[in-house]
Amino acid sequence: MSRRDRGLVCYDCGRRAPADRARCSCGEPLWFPVEPAALALNGHPANLWQYASTLPPADPIGIARTAGGTPLFRAAALDAAAGCRVHIKDETANPTGSFKDRGSAVGVAVAARGTRPVLTVSHGNMARSVAAMAAAAGLECAVLVPADIPPERLGPIARFDPALFRVEGDYGALYDDALDIDGAVALNSDVPLRVAGQKTLAYEIAAALPEADGVVLPVSSGGNASAVWKGFRELARADVIDEPPALYLVQSAACAPIATAFDSGATRPATVDAGETIAYSIANPDPPSGARALAAARETGGAVVAVGDEAIRRARARLSTRAGIAAEAAAATSLAGLQELARRELLQVDDDVVAVMTGTGLLEAPEHGEQPPTITREAVAEAVGEHLGGREA
Ligand SMILES: *Cc1c(COP(=O)(O)O)cnc(C)c1O
Ligand SMILES: [Zn+2]
């Protein structure tokens, strides 16, 4: 039996557990241990399977083969607003438009080895991602959504034809219920398989920008923040990088349990009463990996901040109009968060910081301003000429 088959370890207390568990007996989440010897970055990968030797044994089929390998590029037009040198890690380039594809790809590919059904509790990017990957692998898939899900959110999931259940009652409590359903591989937001896939985001950032000073990303369950932390820790332990970059995590002010705990010095977040926010993808009032996300921010010298909807709206618009990036509101919090960090003087203007664009805005219809003018065909040459000439002046 290879080391890779030997089960899970608790990041916090170090106890070992069998591979089918999600949480340690201490209550904290588990993750897959990795041998430092397995790590070599070797430039920009075509997809995350370049790092297969650091992942649980898997059988990727269809679009699961194409997750990861996303672009990382400099976006100097955002520097002035962000107060640092901005680099974009464009996770919207994943097959279904979000970083969730990394975790879904690995989870579905592991389930495919035993032709086991998969299951998830999500009404957004994670549900769409798991359903699409399962469809391509020919696996059965169940998705638990809240009973009041609006049709415009249900459609993008339903097109992949998973078994959908609209569940009444406490949606948050379903997270644990799903882990206990026998026979199905639960691919919830912070399960070890998902974290294993999503840690490759850190590997790709390190391969492209080994000297990054910081990485900023939105945080909800804390699963992805844990994954990025795990990836950088592994690289540091293998001496591939000197030390992990500072991890800056951003929440919406309407639902900010992790930011509140960070400010108060608590080691685990308390459940909050969530308000409405345009960043609906990051509105978990009781984050299952909250303690782990706090540890990630603190141990890397980072921070957790909260930003309001107005700042998120402005950041989303700035990403589109200055950098041509269609980010969903939750993803735009990365830029809004940088602005907040700069305001608190936690960034230097020459810091190289990677802002992770976690999910596409192409499924959203952001409100736009006034209607564009309507003109006749005869007037086109003059109107366009005047407008563009006028802009130049
Ligand atoms: C899921 C999601 C997040 C938050 O990730 P967690 O692992 O739950 O913390 C951030 N941005 C987008 C676009 C997401 O879909
Ligand atoms: Zn433990």
Side-chain angles (χ1 to χ4, degrees):
M1 201 179 186
S2 82
R3 180 72 188 250
R4 288 204 282 152
D5 293 325
R6 267 193 222 155
L8 302 164
V9 65
C10 175
Y11 83 94
D12 193 26
C13 73
R15 277 194 201 101
R16 298 220 158 225
D20 60 358
R21 291 265 299 280
R23 304 190 83 84
C24 177
S25 49
C26 79
E28 279 301 290
L30 295 158
W31 64 25
F32 286 94
V34 163
E35 285 300 306
L39 279 161
L41 292 177
N42 298 327
H44 184 71
N47 54 61
L48 61 78
W49 298 104
Q50 168 157 335
Y51 309 117
S53 64
T54 76
L55 298 171
D59 196 359
I61 301 166
I63 62 163
R65 298 185 65 87
T66 72
T70 60
L72 190 154
F73 55 91
R74 180 84 172 90
L78 302 171
D79 290 5
C84 62
R85 289 165 51 85
V86 180
H87 303 256
I88 298 289
K89 179 63 172 167
D90 187 10
E91 288 294 287
T92 75
N94 274 297
T96 75
S98 82
F99 75 86
K100 297 283 198 316
D101 283 337
R102 295 179 187 270
S104 308
V106 170
V108 167
V110 167
R113 294 189 104 208
T115 327
R116 288 187 291 165
V118 294
L119 165 73
T120 197
V121 182
S122 163
H123 44 113
N125 291 324
M126 184 160 64
R128 191 171 75 247
S129 172
V130 170
M133 302 260 166
L139 293 183
E140 281 190 276
C141 172
V143 177
L144 306 179
V145 299
D148 60 358
I149 185 172
E152 67 274 17
R153 304 248 185 96
L154 191 57
I157 305 167
R159 72 184 305 156
F160 300 108
D161 201 24
L164 276 163
F165 298 92
R166 298 195 307 157
V167 186
E168 290 171 331
D170 181 358
Y171 190 68
L174 284 178
Y175 171 92
D176 285 324
D177 298 349
L179 296 179
D180 290 337
I181 295 176
D182 281 337
V185 179
L187 296 178
N188 291 358
S189 49
D190 69 341
V191 296
L193 285 172
R194 177 166 293 287
V195 167
Q198 288 169 195
K199 76 171 180 183
T200 59
L201 177 50
Y203 293 177
E204 290 180 20
I205 291 172
L209 204 66
E211 307 286 293
D213 298 294
V215 174
V216 59
L217 69 158
V219 58
S220 183
S221 72
N224 200 39
S226 310
V228 171
W229 184 41
K230 180 179 201 287
F232 282 121
R233 272 166 55 126
E234 290 170 358
L235 294 173
R237 285 181 185 180
D239 282 327
V240 178
I241 57 171
D242 290 342
E243 57 173 353
L247 293 184
Y248 301 113
L249 311 179
V250 191
Q251 300 214 278
S252 162
C255 184
I258 303 174
T260 304
F262 184 83
D263 286 340
S264 72
T267 52
R268 62 188 58 246
T271 305
V272 299
D273 284 323
E276 284 293 308
T277 171
I278 55 167
Y280 48 79
S281 294
I282 53 166
N284 191 327
D286 182 18
S289 279
R292 201 164 47 165
L294 281 166
R298 290 198 175 114
E299 287 194 16
T300 58
V304 191
V305 297
V307 291
D309 275 15
E310 221 14 76
I312 299 171
R313 255 193 208 94
R314 278 200 307 273
R316 180 174 64 181
R318 188 177 289 271
L319 282 159
S320 300
T321 59
R322 304 288 171 84
I325 295 165
E328 70 164 272
T333 60
S334 287
L335 179 59
L338 281 181
Q339 292 177 290
E340 176 61 19
L341 291 162
R343 201 184 61 76
R344 296 192 196 180
E345 297 180 353
L346 291 172
L347 297 176
Q348 312 283 327
V349 284
D350 59 353
D351 278 355
D352 284 289
V353 182
V354 178
V356 183
M357 289 303 120
T358 47
T360 182
L362 291 175
L363 292 169
E364 287 178 335
E367 57 289 350
H368 57 87
E370 57 197 71
Q371 283 289 337
T374 304
I375 54 174
T376 62
R377 189 177 156 211
E378 289 71 27
V380 165
E382 199 186 326
V384 173
E386 233 169 57
H387 184 77
L388 297 182
R391 275 211 173 166
E392 221 171 88

